[in-house]
Amino acid sequence: MTSFMNEWRPIFSRFHLIIIKDPELNEEIQIPEGFNIDVYTKSDIDRLVGSSTSVPFSGYSCRYFGFLISKKYVVCVDDDCVPVKDKTGNLLDAVAQHIVNLNTPATPFFFNTLYDPFGKGADFVRGYPFSLRSGVDCALSCGLWLNLADLDAPTQALKPEQRNLRYVDAVLTVPLRTMMPVSGVNIAFNRAVVGPTLFPVLRLAGEGKLRWETVEDIWSGMCAKVICNHLGLGVKTGLPYVWRTERGNATESLKKEWEGVKLMEEIVPFFQSISLPQSATTSEDCVIEMAKQVKEQLGKVDPMFSSAAEAMVEWVKLWKSVGFGQSS
């Protein structure tokens, strides 16, 4: 934590930080001075959500406890990432860029070929309907990665030397009904609007501890995108970048992630075809309705999906019971 926090000091020192200690971590967390932080441990998790919940809060999933207790905007960056410099050589403030993305409208109903029309130096192109130029609220901002992109284990095994060094100074709105893999490595969201849609419920039987050995962020991200589509909310991708450094053994990781790679062939058609009722008008409503369809349609494919559906319902109950619901 010390090197990570010091790398981010110019940016993070201006904000309140929530640090969740992995319940499986025995060592003490070493945090340098000069930050406004609250550290939560296993005892805090047990006190607020109970020790018998079916929602996991260990490994990468410990961050989701922070989602429960945070306020309006949440920004997440993995601990193997450091800030990058933009094309002018200035430090890119990832937090500020995420907030800009969330505070400016998204345009999911009609694609603008000149990037985000609300970004610096861009605008709506000729032919863009004026009736759609006001846009909609942006609920989710998906940042990207330089150096080591968030690739799956098979791709990393085939291309071990591949690096992403292309800095594209742009933000795009993901079009309506277009699905996407949402990476938890570098992400921000409006918690008051879409917070209940991001949850750690899908766990692979043999998943590992590295990011690409899990699929919980991919699963919850697709749930969030479908719900954003239904509620008329926007999702953006592009800036900000972070510099990612973690590299494990891709061949070993493939053994743990392969189950998730195969399941994606079942998951994607489900999310492409799912329809939520008009009576579902909040994120919580949508998660409950989606959980029903997950259990009915995917539960027969693999019992893991039935467990995920049950955990989705449990997550909504936690979201409401902890007392930090949409009104906060």
Side-chain angles (χ1 to χ4, degrees), residues 80-95:
D80 62 338
C81 300
V82 298
V84 301
K85 292 183 179 180
D86 61 22
K87 290 186 175 181
T88 64
N90 295 316
L91 189 70
L92 177 64
D93 188 333
V95 175

Side-chain angles (χ1 to χ4, degrees), residues 1 15 45 53 99 107 110 151 181 195 225 235 244 246 264 280 316 325 327:
M1 287 295 292
F15 300 97
I45 296 174
T53 177
I99 299 304
T107 53
F110 201 87
L151 307 176
K225 184 57 168 67
V235 176
R244 190 160 178 256
E246 182 176 282
M264 288 300 295
V316 172
S327 61

Side-chain angles (χ1 to χ4, degrees), residues 45 51 59 62 75 110 114 129 152 194 275 283 300 309 313:
I45 296 174
S51 57
C62 69
V75 178
F110 201 87
L114 193 60
D152 53 38
V194 78
S275 177
S283 292
K300 55 191 176 184
V313 175

